[in-house]
Amino acid sequence: MIESLNRVNNLATEECVTKLRVKPFIRWAGGKQNLVAKLSLHLPKFKFNRYFEPFLGAGSMFLYNGFTNTVLSDINSHLVNAYKQLASSPEEIFDQLQYHLRLLNPDYYYKLRTIFNQNRDSFNIDQASLFIFLVHTSFNGIYRVNKKGEYNVPVGKLNPSLPSIEHLKAIQASLQGIELIDCMYEDVLDRIGSGDLVYLDPPYPPLNDTSYFQHYTIDKFLYQKQCELAENVKFLSDKGAFILMSNADTPLIRELYSSWNVIDIDAMRSINCKPKRTSVKELIISNY
């Protein structure tokens, strides 16, 4: 699960430090766990100031590289709440996960889903535990909401591989001193300045009509929002920030970033509601 290593930290305030490469505690639509080692090769080789990740998701890039002096954010309030609760109380979350596991059957899953939806405006340790447990036991390991903002994924795994207490404590250690914000990505742009590194992994344009990549919040991230994102990252680039982005290999994305450095890579993705995965091209985009 966790691999110790010595590496030269890219942050301007640190020299050589011992870090832990930690895996995410949940799966996430479009998550980068299988690509993070390849993506990390494209991080800048020079020093930078702060690290920003405005589309946090499962946090693969942050956790793998052990960045400090970091601002992490996501529009999904329950996801951010899970990180915040893990930063302070991994033991209690582990105990609640194990309690739910002992009682797990299809009826119990739907009971928990109802409780989660009834309390969807609450952000506490109970909701964080329910969020983590439901994602691990949902169909195809996804988090999806309807137009009312209600979590609506059917039951999937009845023998989930839940994170161990050691894993959750490693997550806790990685989050110490890290700023976590529940917000739209636009809300952190003013804080990003010259010399900062920004990694962006936005919801991808749909590869087809049944793509799941954009359904984890009520709002969808479609054509216009991709265009707005391109304008915003150009603004950050002009301010002197270093930009690294993952995105889908589509004509739209290639057009929007035609003047940037673009590399295509192979990735395995579920492109519809079935668990079958297929190889697709993705893009690594940077301004350095």
Side-chain angles (χ1 to χ4, degrees):
M1 178 193 66
I2 305 169
E3 177 187 353
S4 296
L5 71 154
N6 290 318
R7 60 182 291 273
V8 176
N9 194 305
N10 284 321
L11 295 172
T13 57
E14 295 186 338
E15 299 297 330
C16 188
V17 293
T18 300
K19 288 293 181 183
L20 296 175
R21 288 178 175 171
V22 184
K23 291 183 179 180
F25 59 94
I26 54 170
R27 290 179 60 190
W28 204 244
K32 294 298 179 289
Q33 176 59 30
N34 294 328
L35 290 175
V36 65
K38 190 179 296 186
L39 283 168
S40 296
L41 295 176
H42 297 275
L43 288 167
K45 302 299 189 289
F46 44 81
K47 292 180 179 181
F48 52 84
N49 298 327
R50 296 171 297 171
Y51 174 76
F52 287 81
E53 192 166 337
F55 297 95
L56 178 56
S60 296
M61 184 70 92
F62 162 72
L63 292 168
Y64 183 86
N65 289 283
F67 296 120
T68 58
N69 198 13
T70 288
V71 178
L72 305 175
S73 57
D74 198 280
I75 193 175
N76 190 307
S77 301
H78 288 288
L79 175 69
V80 174
N81 178 56
Y83 279 98
K84 289 181 177 180
Q85 300 301 333
L86 280 171
S88 59
S89 305
E91 296 90 348
E92 187 170 349
I93 287 182
F94 176 78
D95 290 344
Q96 290 195 23
L97 293 177
Q98 293 301 308
Y99 174 81
H100 294 318
L101 181 61
R102 289 192 292 271
L103 299 175
L104 181 59
N105 60 46
D107 289 340
Y108 188 70
Y109 173 89
Y110 290 109
K111 177 182 177 181
L112 292 183
R113 192 178 76 171
T114 297
I115 294 172
F116 181 80
N117 285 329
Q118 288 173 341
N119 295 278
R120 64 182 182 274
D121 294 328
S122 298
F123 301 97
N124 51 37
I125 196 163
D126 293 337
Q127 281 293 93
S129 299
L130 284 176
F131 172 86
I132 297 169
F133 190 79
L134 289 170
V135 171
H136 274 279
T137 52
S138 67
F139 174 74
N140 213 18
I142 61 173
Y143 181 88
R144 181 192 63 203
V145 297
N146 60 23
K147 292 181 179 179
K148 297 180 181 179
E150 297 171 333
Y151 175 73
N152 65 353
V153 184
V155 65
K157 293 183 178 181
L158 296 179
N159 59 340
S161 179
L162 296 172
S164 66
I165 184 60
E166 292 79 14
H167 188 176
L168 296 183
K169 286 184 175 180
I171 298 288
Q172 179 191 36
S174 298
L175 293 171
Q176 296 311 296
I178 301 303
E179 187 173 359
L180 288 158
I181 309 173
D182 160 23
C183 67
M184 297 186 294
Y185 84 91
E186 297 97 329
D187 294 336
V188 298
L189 298 184
D190 288 343
R191 301 182 57 178
I192 299 169
S194 179
D196 291 337
L197 171 64
V198 188
Y199 172 62
L200 300 128
D201 184 28
Y204 286 6
L207 299 178
N208 55 43
D209 291 339
T210 56
S211 174
Y212 262 62
F213 287 165
Q214 56 196 320
H215 295 159
Y216 68 94
T217 60
I218 299 174
D219 298 326
K220 294 183 178 181
F221 206 90
L222 297 179
Y223 176 87
Q224 184 58 38
K225 290 194 175 182
Q226 290 288 348
C227 295
E228 291 171 359
L229 174 63
E231 292 178 1
N232 284 326
V233 295
K234 182 181 184 303
F235 171 74
L236 294 177
S237 181
D238 290 344
K239 287 174 65 175
F242 305 118
I243 310 296
L244 179 65
M245 178 188 290
S246 306
N247 217 319
D249 187 359
T250 68
L252 168 65
I253 300 304
R254 284 190 176 271
E255 179 183 357
L256 290 173
Y257 299 96
S258 59
S259 63
W260 293 54
N261 297 317
V262 179
I263 300 171
D264 63 81
I265 58 175
D266 294 313
M268 297 300 294
R269 293 291 178 206
S270 298
I271 61 172
N272 53 39
C273 60
K274 298 178 182 179
K276 182 180 179 181
R277 296 166 68 83
T278 188
S279 178
V280 298
K281 290 290 186 182
E282 295 193 6
L283 301 179
I284 302 175
I285 303 165
S286 70
N287 67 342
Y288 51 84

